[in-house]
Amino acid sequence: MEARITVVKPDYKPTHATIVLAIFNSLRDEIKTRSTAQAALVGLNVTAIGVLGGFFFGKPENPPEILLLIPMVSSVLGMLWIDHAINIANQGSFIQKVVMPELMQSIDLPSIPNYEVSIRCMEKRAGLRLFVLGTPILLIFAGIPLAAMLYAFYVAPSTTTARFLGPAIVSCILLAVFLWLWIQAIGRGGQLWTGEDAPVSEVKTP
């Protein structure tokens, strides 16, 4: 795919730089907002696990179906977390490949410190990416919920009743969807969404 070309006349270069900076600031603000939302989702998930687990273990007669709510809630929250991660990756990639090259050309500088380059380099290191980004998220949104679901199967008097089997099937489906998204977005470095073959913006001045 051919690169997009922006032709900027010398007289309009200051205006072009101002526009590009506004786009950069807007993207960085959205990344910050989404990062804050991700932290809130992690906290909400930990709280939900603690509340549901505490409620179940609070009384011996509580039904094990309560534990099946944990993978349901965690999987949905995990999907929302991954959605933010995908959008953050896309916005960071746009900054790196489009915004920064245009800004450098507008202000006639051969290079500008670009944090997104460092992030992309880390994402290409599979071991580090899985250890730093993948494993904690997998444990919080899938590992603990899976353990809760298995324990529910273990303590349930009967696992064939509709009251138990229905929530169990829903929990398994939601966990499977989350795991598939996790593999695509984190386990494989997010290449499915970030678009490694996306064109790089090019600015030419007459």
Side-chain angles (χ1 to χ4, degrees), residues 16 107 200 205:
H16 183 263
I107 58 180
V200 177
T205 58

Side-chain angles (χ1 to χ4, degrees), residues 68-80 82 138 141-142 145-146 149 166-182:
L68 296 178
L69 294 175
I70 293 178
M72 292 184 188
V73 174
S74 294
S75 297
V76 172
L77 293 177
M79 292 177 201
L80 293 174
I82 289 178
L138 185 64
F141 290 111
L146 179 60
M149 184 173 64
I169 292 174
V170 173
S171 297
C172 290
I173 293 174
L174 290 175
L175 275 176
V177 173
F178 169 77
L179 288 173
W180 181 82
L181 290 173
W182 179 89

Side-chain angles (χ1 to χ4, degrees), residues 21-44:
L21 280 174
I23 295 173
F24 173 83
N25 291 329
S26 176
L27 290 171
R28 292 305 305 175
D29 287 342
E30 184 172 352
I31 289 174
K32 180 180 179 180
T33 300
R34 288 184 178 276
S35 297
T36 303
Q38 283 184 306
L41 288 171
V42 171
L44 181 60

Side-chain angles (χ1 to χ4, degrees), residues 59-93:
K59 294 182 179 180
E61 64 271 17
N62 283 333
E65 287 82 2
I66 295 175
L67 292 177
L68 296 178
L69 294 175
I70 293 178
M72 292 184 188
V73 174
S74 294
S75 297
V76 172
L77 293 177
M79 292 177 201
L80 293 174
W81 190 96
I82 289 178
D83 175 71
H84 284 302
I86 292 169
N87 281 281
I88 288 173
N90 285 333
Q91 289 160 350
S93 180

Side-chain angles (χ1 to χ4, degrees), residues 66-124:
I66 295 175
L67 292 177
L68 296 178
L69 294 175
I70 293 178
M72 292 184 188
V73 174
S74 294
S75 297
V76 172
L77 293 177
M79 292 177 201
L80 293 174
W81 190 96
I82 289 178
D83 175 71
H84 284 302
I86 292 169
N87 281 281
I88 288 173
N90 285 333
Q91 289 160 350
S93 180
F94 183 79
I95 290 174
Q96 176 192 355
K97 297 180 179 180
V98 178
V99 176
M100 297 304 287
E102 296 223 6
L103 183 59
M104 285 187 293
Q105 293 291 348
S106 295
I107 58 180
D108 294 324
L109 286 179
S111 64
I112 296 177
N114 190 352
Y115 178 70
E116 300 298 332
V117 175
S118 300
I119 292 296
R120 300 289 89 78
C121 290
M122 189 194 74
E123 289 177 349
K124 292 179 180 179

Side-chain angles (χ1 to χ4, degrees), residues 147-195:
M149 184 173 64
L150 293 177
Y151 187 76
F153 273 94
Y154 177 74
V155 300
S158 175
T159 60
T160 58
T161 62
R163 178 182 175 181
F164 184 90
L165 198 57
I169 292 174
V170 173
S171 297
C172 290
I173 293 174
L174 290 175
L175 275 176
V177 173
F178 169 77
L179 288 173
W180 181 82
L181 290 173
W182 179 89
I183 291 172
Q184 300 298 321
I186 298 177
R188 293 176 58 184
Q191 294 181 2
L192 182 62
W193 283 278
T194 55

